[in-house]
Structures are given as structure tokens and as C-alpha cells.
Amino acid sequence: MDTAPARLTFRDAAESDVPALVALIESAYRGDASRSGWTTEADILQGQRTDPDGVRAVIAAEGSRLLVVERDGGIIACCQLEHRGDAAYFGMFAVRPEQQGGGLGKQIIAEAERCVREDWGVDEMHMTVISVRDELIAWYERRGYRRTGKMTPFPYGDERFGIPQRDDLQFELLVKELRP
């Protein structure tokens, strides 16, 4: 009997994936379901993380991909890749909460880095992380990302990004040089 875990498959998102992707992203970041994983933002943000229009916009945007990760025919993760000149932006990263903590995230981010290096020839991967997310930032640092200290304000008052539960939220830019 083969007890090895099923292999991951990667593909670009399609319009038909939108409902499943919204549910995945919401479950990874918001509400009680997100608390079973370690990437939850439930203590700092309530409300929605994304919506169908936001996911569709990422799928349709020029120079953008929403990478879908499947195992056994089911969507278990996703991430946004956006071509920005000499760099790529990595965002909308979500892994099913019950699948977090087992090394899946490392595999996905490595594949995302490989894709943007090979497909777009970029030298760097950029991302923004809410600056109070110390555990998440430390995880990215272990993957080779460095803190830049460059901050951008959190969009307070725009409920499309959630309802902040504290008044000190901002995004920090993290950068990784991509080498073959």
C-alpha cells in the first residue's frame, strides 16, 4: 500500500475557481475556522479578507497569475504572482488551515519563486505583511526574505480589507533576491 502523500499540482486559476478560492482565503485568515491554522488574522482583523470581485481582478489582471495548488483533485492553497518590472509581487497566499504547519507552504513559495524567475526573469520577489505579524514575518525570514523597514499604511475605513481590531496596523515590504 502506498502511504506517500499525494503529489501537488500547480495551475493558473480559472473563473470557475473563484468561489472555492474565496472560501479558501477566508478560511485561512478570518473567523473561527482560521484559528485551527497558524496564519490567522482573526485577532487583528474581522470582516472579509477578499471577495469574488477581488479574486476575479487578480485572475484577469495583465501580468498577474493566481496560482492554484491542488492535491487529490481538491484546491488546498493559492498565491498571487504579479510581474512588476524587475521584481514579482507575492500575495494572497493561503493554505487550508488544517494543512498548515507540515511544510506545504515552503513547497508552494519555492514553486512560486521558480515560476517568476523562469517565466518573467525577475531578480527579486516582493511581498507586504502586516507589521505586527511577528511569527509570519519570522517564517518568511527563514525562507530568505528580509525586512526592509519600508511601511505603507493599512487602508483603515475600507472594509474590503477587513475591520481592524487595533490602531497600529501597517504593511512592511519584505524582499528576497532570487538566484537560480
Side-chain angles (χ1 to χ4, degrees), residues 63-119:
S64 176
R65 299 174 66 187
L66 188 53
L67 195 60
V68 172
V69 184
E70 293 177 313
R71 182 183 282 153
D72 295 328
I75 296 174
I76 60 166
C78 69
C79 65
Q80 170 192 9
L81 302 171
E82 185 179 319
H83 192 184
R84 295 183 178 177
D86 292 336
Y89 178 80
F90 179 83
M92 209 176 272
F93 188 27
V95 175
R96 288 202 179 286
E98 67 276 6
Q99 307 238 354
Q100 294 175 14
L104 189 57
K106 287 183 235 179
Q107 291 177 272
I108 295 166
I109 200 167
E111 176 64 10
E113 291 166 357
R114 185 197 66 75
C115 285
V116 300
R117 196 174 51 245
E118 290 182 8
D119 296 348

Side-chain angles (χ1 to χ4, degrees), residues 18-29 69 75-78 94-97:
V18 169
L21 290 169
V22 171
L24 166 67
I25 294 162
E26 292 297 311
S27 74
Y29 288 97
V69 184
I75 296 174
I76 60 166
C78 69
V95 175
R96 288 202 179 286

Side-chain angles (χ1 to χ4, degrees), residues 138-160:
W139 187 86
Y140 284 121
E141 287 178 312
R142 291 190 299 275
R143 311 280 88 67
Y145 288 81
R146 65 177 171 76
R147 297 181 86 156
T148 65
K150 293 179 183 173
M151 304 291 184
T152 54
F154 186 86
Y156 284 92
D158 188 342
E159 291 189 8
R160 291 178 304 160

Side-chain angles (χ1 to χ4, degrees), residues 44 129-135 137 147 166 168-170:
I44 60 172
V129 179
I130 297 173
S131 63
V132 300
R133 304 280 321 273
D134 295 327
E135 185 179 8
I137 290 171
R147 297 181 86 156
R166 42 193 294 177
D168 62 345
L169 301 182
Q170 56 187 344

